[in-house]
Amino acid sequence: MSGVVVTDIARPDPATVDALAAHGVATVHEAMGRVGLAGPAIRPIQQGVRVAGAAVTVLSWPGDNLMIHAAIEQCQAGDLLVVATTSDSTDGAFGDLFATALKARGVRGLVTATGVRDTQDLRDMGFPAWSNGVHSQGTVKATAGSVNVPVVVAGMLVHPGDVVIADDDGVVCVPRREAESALAAAEARVAKEEADRQAYASGAELSLDRKGLRAVLSELGVTYATQAEYEETHGR
């Protein structure tokens, strides 16, 4: 496996990135039509953290973190490092020394298909990470890979410069060219949900009525019965 390091990736508008981060993974995922989500194997090592950044991507050989070293040089403030491997690997390819170097460059966090280690140190230093597991197994630095090429992490396709959002609910990727439209859709969804929330909190409406779901139940053949009617038909 030979590799390439792409040095001049296009990045999204920082204000758009920050606005998408404020909405979070679930809202943006739903607003985009339920696409771009990483599978549930990618989980946070901390709680209560929500970040977004421009993706700097790494494609590594399993059990080898050489290309993470190469990727650090390509990172800028506001980026988020995204690491994939050519085949499954949960080795602890990332730890506190990498986080120290990335934090100094203004990188906002890590999303990786590998394992991580030094997790308490990462939490103490405020460097958030989403990973495929926690594993102390070390790695080598011996195999070529690539930086800033398209990668797939738990089913989530990420191109360099895409917006990657991560929080307690998981990770989602917004293609760079769709960031503005995704933000508009997320803002519309937030406004709609706030109206729903107020209606439910006041007790004025049920979701069955507000969302027109009674008709759906009827179309699906769902009927209503008293307990006596049900027991007469089905027994106790």
Side-chain angles (χ1 to χ4, degrees), residues 35-205:
V35 297
L37 193 65
I42 307 302
R43 301 302 305 154
I45 66 164
Q46 67 288 310
Q47 291 290 299
V49 175
R50 177 178 289 171
V51 298
V56 169
T57 63
V58 179
L59 182 61
S60 289
W61 199 262
D64 192 308
N65 69 1
L66 174 64
M67 300 315 295
I68 299 179
H69 288 273
I72 292 172
E73 184 179 24
Q74 305 307 318
C75 290
Q76 300 178 8
D79 287 345
L80 194 146
L81 190 65
V82 179
V83 180
T85 51
T86 56
S87 61
D88 292 346
S89 175
T90 57
D91 292 343
F94 188 96
D96 71 305
L97 292 179
F98 274 144
T100 299
L102 289 170
K103 190 172 182 180
R105 299 180 78 86
V107 174
R108 293 177 170 178
L110 167 78
V111 171
T112 180
T114 72
V116 297
R117 58 186 187 178
D118 305 326
T119 54
Q120 187 61 57
D121 295 318
L122 298 182
R123 288 189 289 270
D124 288 345
M125 66 192 296
F127 189 86
W130 287 256
S131 74
N132 192 27
V134 176
H135 197 184
S136 292
Q137 175 66 48
T139 57
V140 300
K141 302 163 182 60
T143 314
S146 293
V147 175
N148 284 330
V149 299
V151 299
V152 176
V153 175
M156 176 182 68
L157 174 63
V158 183
H159 288 81
D162 284 350
V163 182
V164 174
I165 308 163
D167 61 20
D168 291 348
D169 294 332
V171 183
V172 69
C173 178
V174 180
R176 178 176 60 85
R177 292 183 177 88
E178 299 174 20
E180 296 290 344
S181 60
L183 176 58
E187 289 172 342
R189 183 175 180 84
V190 167
K192 178 182 179 300
E193 288 185 343
E194 181 55 31
D196 289 344
R197 187 175 294 107
Q198 291 182 13
Y200 302 155
S202 69
E205 289 184 88

